[in-house]
Amino acid sequence: MQPRQSIMEIFSTFVQFDGDRFHRWAIESRLRRSIQTCLQQTPKETSEYFWTLYWFKFWQLPETQSLAKQHLTAYLQESCYWISQKTAASFTSTQYQLSDCFQVAIAQVDRVLTAFNPSHSSTLKNYASIIFGSAIRETLRQRQEVDICTDWGLLRKTSQKRLGESLQNAGLSPTEVRAYIQAWNCFKTLYVPTKAANSRQLARPDDTTWEAIAQAYNAQNTPSANPQTLEKWLLNAAKAVRKYLYPTLDSLNITKGDDNSSEVLDNLPGTEQPSLIQEIIAQEEEQARNSQKLAINQVLVSAISQLESQVQQILILYYNQKLNQDAIAQQLDIKQYTVSRRLTKVKETLLRTLASWSQDTLHISLTPDILKDMSTLIEDWLQNHYNVSHS
């Protein structure tokens, strides 16, 4: 990719792909005329940073939001391209190509602009790269999650309601659905993983367990079923769940029934259904997430409690009372650059503390991208902490 050089190009051109490769910068004539007019009015302003804040300011106004968003979307094309390329390369077993990742990421522009705060973040490009990368990884993770689970792990995570819907969708009769669900209940009761963390990779139950499952099933049902039959039922059930969660996609333009005038495209629902696989793994992940958030909160609160009293006062004035650095300096009778240095030092201290805790507790190998994510997390945490604890 040839980097864009002029302000005109940076705020009015978009990536155009040829297959899965960068082809050229495509010019949007309306945006080109818009930025050209702005440059004529303020010819001395040639800084990319200036025009980024200029359009971000206009994005915050309803009457100019649409145009400003288009300029900022153009501006973020390179950041989106490079993070998409890097993230796509790290997923070797995905069908998603670079262009797919790019589309997933660039759809997050509204999210980026809504959360971006120029006074609390480094640059819009850096902040957007974090959001873009996170969105791509989450999308790929969701798409691969159904393949991460073995049949037995998937059955343990599936709710009875979801299993019943899957079996009905597969065309089983009400009697067959009831039999499958009862076999599944015996399976869940008698085959419990020894380590919850490995429940996605559950292996097939051993023969002794299958005998116990069959005995439990036959004690409640007539006619009886042998272990081999029950295993076949449960494998069919897992297959039905996978198909229900990720159905085969058809063309939008295929016709329905004998009426050639009716196409699938004409019958699309108005809203998208939430990702069903998330419902399956949500319960397992929510507890770990909450526990980790609580631990991070305790680590950062403890670190702040050890800071000098004046530094703690600066944090309250900056994050809770929303004073700028000049106002804080006047109130505390210190220099503005002292306030700036201390704010920077606090964030560096918190980042080192959190990084050390992550390595020791979570055994995370710290990369530049992870450190960037941590910096954003700390900034968000400071804003939330002081808005809640000192409101």
Side-chain angles (χ1 to χ4, degrees):
M1 171 191 283
Q2 183 68 30
R4 297 172 292 180
Q5 301 297 329
S6 69
I7 296 298
M8 183 87 71
E9 292 176 318
I10 290 171
F11 288 92
S12 66
T13 59
F14 295 81
V15 170
Q16 187 173 86
F17 288 93
D18 181 9
D20 200 46
R21 291 177 174 270
F22 172 81
H23 177 52
R24 67 185 181 94
W25 288 108
I27 300 172
E28 215 295 326
S29 57
R30 188 170 72 92
L31 297 183
R32 186 180 181 86
R33 290 193 299 270
S34 170
I35 193 67
Q36 188 173 29
T37 300
C38 292
L39 290 171
Q40 289 172 350
Q41 294 173 349
T42 54
K44 294 182 179 180
E45 296 295 348
T46 59
S47 164
E48 177 183 314
Y49 181 73
F50 170 85
W51 288 108
T52 303
L53 294 183
Y54 176 89
W55 288 115
F56 181 72
K57 177 181 177 181
F58 278 101
W59 174 81
Q60 295 172 306
L61 303 175
E63 60 272 18
T64 54
Q65 187 176 74
S66 177
L67 176 63
K69 177 186 172 182
Q70 292 176 59
H71 278 299
L72 292 171
T73 302
Y75 170 68
L76 293 173
Q77 294 287 294
E78 282 171 322
S79 298
C80 186
Y81 180 88
W82 292 121
I83 196 64
S84 297
Q85 184 182 67
K86 180 179 180 180
T87 309
S90 67
F91 283 80
T92 57
S93 61
T94 177
Q95 62 181 347
Y96 274 55
Q97 297 181 321
L98 168 60
S99 55
D100 299 316
C101 293
F102 183 91
Q103 293 303 322
V104 169
I106 205 65
Q108 304 297 316
V109 167
D110 279 326
R111 176 184 167 191
V112 170
L113 297 177
T114 299
F116 178 64
N117 187 329
S119 63
H120 293 157
S121 302
S122 53
T123 67
L124 179 60
K125 277 186 175 180
N126 289 342
Y127 184 76
S129 292
I130 295 171
I131 302 299
F132 289 158
S134 175
I136 296 170
R137 289 190 294 271
E138 178 63 17
T139 298
L140 297 184
R141 185 193 68 78
Q142 289 176 12
R143 293 297 181 264
Q144 292 181 327
E145 189 70 47
V146 72
D147 295 323
I148 290 174
C149 292
T150 63
D151 287 336
W152 314 112
L154 186 61
L155 287 172
R156 280 207 61 84
K157 291 175 178 296
T158 302
S159 68
Q160 181 168 319
K161 178 176 181 293
R162 186 68 67 212
L163 177 62
E165 292 171 348
S166 301
L167 295 171
Q168 291 173 18
N169 185 67
L172 274 67
S173 69
T175 301
E176 290 173 318
V177 169
R178 283 194 296 272
Y180 274 51
I181 289 177
Q182 288 173 344
W184 172 78
N185 278 320
C186 294
F187 161 79
K188 287 198 69 175
T189 300
L190 296 170
Y191 184 43
V192 181
T194 55
K195 295 182 179 179
N198 295 328
S199 62
R200 294 180 188 173
Q201 296 299 318
L202 280 184
R204 171 188 176 275
D206 58 30
D207 291 342
T208 302
T209 304
W210 278 117
E211 290 290 346
I213 292 172
Q215 185 176 357
Y217 176 85
N218 293 331
Q220 306 173 44
N221 298 276
T222 303
S224 61
N226 60 38
Q228 293 75 26
T229 298
L230 294 176
E231 181 176 358
K232 181 180 178 181
W233 286 359
L234 290 175
L235 288 173
N236 287 339
K239 182 179 179 180
V241 171
R242 291 184 192 278
K243 186 175 181 180
Y244 185 67
L245 294 176
Y246 287 102
T248 303
L249 299 178
D250 294 319
S251 167
L252 293 176
N253 294 109
I254 62 172
T255 56
K256 296 185 66 178
D258 298 327
D259 183 4
N260 292 332
S261 64
S262 176
E263 298 180 348
V264 173
L265 184 61
D266 301 324
N267 296 277
L268 289 177
T271 57
E272 295 182 0
Q273 185 179 10
S275 173
L276 297 178
I277 195 65
Q278 288 180 288
E279 296 179 18
I280 293 180
I281 64 174
Q283 186 174 6
E284 176 185 298
E285 294 185 342
E286 184 178 2
Q287 184 176 1
R289 260 195 319 267
N290 290 338
S291 177
Q292 192 176 101
K293 286 179 181 178
L294 181 61
I296 290 173
N297 185 70
Q298 291 173 342
V299 168
L300 295 177
V301 167
S302 176
I304 286 179
S305 68
Q306 299 175 37
L307 299 173
E308 297 177 4
S309 58
Q310 187 183 72
V311 176
Q312 295 189 37
Q313 183 65 19
I314 289 174
L315 290 173
I316 293 172
L317 293 174
Y318 188 70
Y319 286 103
N320 178 252
Q321 299 187 23
K322 308 300 182 185
L323 298 184
N324 60 32
Q325 294 180 13
D326 287 330
I328 295 173
Q330 291 178 9
Q331 183 164 329
L332 299 181
D333 194 24
I334 56 179
K335 301 294 185 182
Q336 179 272 331
Y337 60 77
T338 301
V339 176
S340 178
R341 281 204 304 263
R342 290 186 176 177
L343 283 172
T344 300
K345 187 175 180 180
V346 165
K347 294 176 187 177
E348 291 174 350
T349 299
L350 295 179
L351 179 58
R352 284 196 300 270
T353 301
L354 186 58
S356 177
W357 175 83
S358 299
Q359 285 181 308
D360 295 341
T361 306
L362 303 180
H363 308 292
I364 293 176
S365 178
L366 298 179
T367 66
D369 284 343
I370 290 177
L371 289 173
K372 282 183 181 179
D373 288 344
M374 283 187 176
S375 296
T376 302
L377 182 149
I378 288 171
E379 184 62 45
D380 292 341
W381 182 87
L382 284 168
Q383 294 185 47
N384 293 331
H385 174 69
Y386 282 97
N387 283 337
V388 173
S389 60
H390 295 87
S391 57

